[in-house]
Amino acid sequence: MTTTDNLPYLLFIHGFPLDRSMWQPQLDGLADVAHVIAPDLPGFGGVPATEPTTTMDAMADACAAALDEAGARTAVICGLSMGGYVALAFWRRHRERVGGLVLANTRAGADDAAGRERRSALAERVRREGVEFLAAAPPPLFSAHAPFELYEWARKTIAAQPPEGVAAGSLGMGARPNATDLLASIDVPTLVITGSDDTLIPPDATREMADSILVSDFRVIEGAGHLSNLEAPAAFNELLRRHLHRCGAVSIRRSQ
Ligand code: MLT
């Protein structure tokens, strides 16, 4: 996981319907302790969607390709929300490359039938009308007391996403398998983060996931909403710094 300069690789996986820019406070704030990589997932940022449905597996494979491109064999993998679904798919498909996990504001379960229906309806509407309606009324990404600039950032970032990519990502989330049974297989140090004011994926759903992971550290950032890394960057980064230490210790033990 470490390079000749002894810094580990840290790969960030963004949420929906956003792009790598959501990780700016981590790219800026953690570069002294890790080689930080934050790819745009297929269908988001500048990366086109190649299929009508972008599965979480396809996104996980794109993350593995980003590690290849950076010359990283292994990394600590950090995913938030949809990024967490992708991080779990990454664990299922590429676990030999995972030195540690961070699962933030996410859950392990699949959508129910009504949830899948909502994802399809959203995909259809985005294909028909574009992303403007979503940018104008995004899901609850922040707490009620988040600064206006964050709402502005979200509006602009969502408006910049290609409709085909957003539609394909929505269908991909709807098609994701239930990862609950996978949790017991996770044997790398895992940090699970949520925000007390996350109404999109409530803290209880995230706690339930943490409870099923053997070596997990569950943390609630008080006052933060769904995008806890943006709303409470100092607290989020501090948790990651400590976690990198734990992951480093584990890889030393494993290599002996
Ligand atoms: C996200 O924030 O990535 C998504 O809203 C998660 C979801 O819709 O399940």
Side-chain angles (χ1 to χ4, degrees):
M1 183 165 57
T2 54
T3 53
T4 46
D5 59 14
N6 269 338
L7 292 184
Y9 284 93
L10 179 54
L11 179 120
F12 286 104
I13 314 176
H14 65 77
F16 173 92
L18 303 167
D19 61 27
R20 70 187 296 278
S21 67
M22 69 167 268
W23 294 115
Q24 202 55 54
Q26 285 64 49
L27 293 167
D28 293 341
L30 295 168
D32 61 325
V33 287
H35 292 284
V36 185
I37 307 167
D40 280 324
L41 294 170
F44 299 90
V47 181
T50 53
E51 305 287 339
T53 296
T54 309
T55 62
M56 302 299 103
D57 286 0
M59 292 186 187
D61 292 353
C63 291
L67 286 189
D68 292 343
E69 202 176 308
R73 195 180 61 78
T74 62
V76 173
I77 308 294
C78 173
L80 187 147
S81 197
M82 178 181 78
Y85 310 155
V86 177
L88 290 172
F90 192 98
W91 174 257
R92 191 174 347 93
R93 294 168 76 77
H94 305 285
R95 70 182 62 175
E96 70 290 349
R97 305 190 73 168
V98 182
L101 275 174
V102 183
L103 301 170
N105 305 83
T106 194
R107 55 161 40 113
D111 287 358
D112 58 14
R116 281 195 298 277
E117 194 49 51
R118 277 195 299 275
R119 305 276 194 204
S120 300
L122 179 72
E124 266 176 43
R125 186 166 175 203
V126 166
R127 285 201 170 111
R128 216 172 43 240
E129 297 177 23
V131 292
E132 286 70 22
F133 75 91
L134 200 53
L141 297 175
F142 301 110
S143 72
H145 46 262
F148 174 74
E149 296 75 53
L150 284 182
Y151 286 96
E152 262 305 277
W153 169 85
R155 197 188 58 71
K156 282 196 188 127
T157 305
I158 296 171
Q161 302 310 313
E164 282 308 312
V166 171
S170 181
L171 294 176
M173 285 194 290
R176 76 188 190 281
N178 189 331
T180 306
D181 287 350
L182 188 70
L183 300 175
S185 73
I186 296 176
D187 61 356
V188 294
T190 301
L191 170 64
V192 181
I193 302 176
T194 187
S196 61
D197 291 19
D198 188 343
T199 53
L200 211 162
I201 297 185
D204 279 352
T206 304
R207 180 194 301 272
E208 198 179 309
M209 179 183 67
D211 285 348
S212 301
I213 301 173
L214 199 62
V215 207
S216 75
D217 180 17
F218 177 70
R219 300 287 167 151
V220 182
I221 302 181
E222 283 305 318
H226 187 59
L227 297 185
S228 59
N229 72 303
L230 277 173
E231 208 172 327
F236 193 96
N237 287 359
E238 185 52 31
L239 288 174
L240 259 74
R241 278 173 186 273
R242 289 189 204 168
H243 188 59
L244 283 173
H245 259 289
R246 295 173 67 211
C247 296
V250 165
S251 55
I252 290 162
R253 277 207 299 278
R254 286 183 154 191
S255 62
Q256 282 170 350

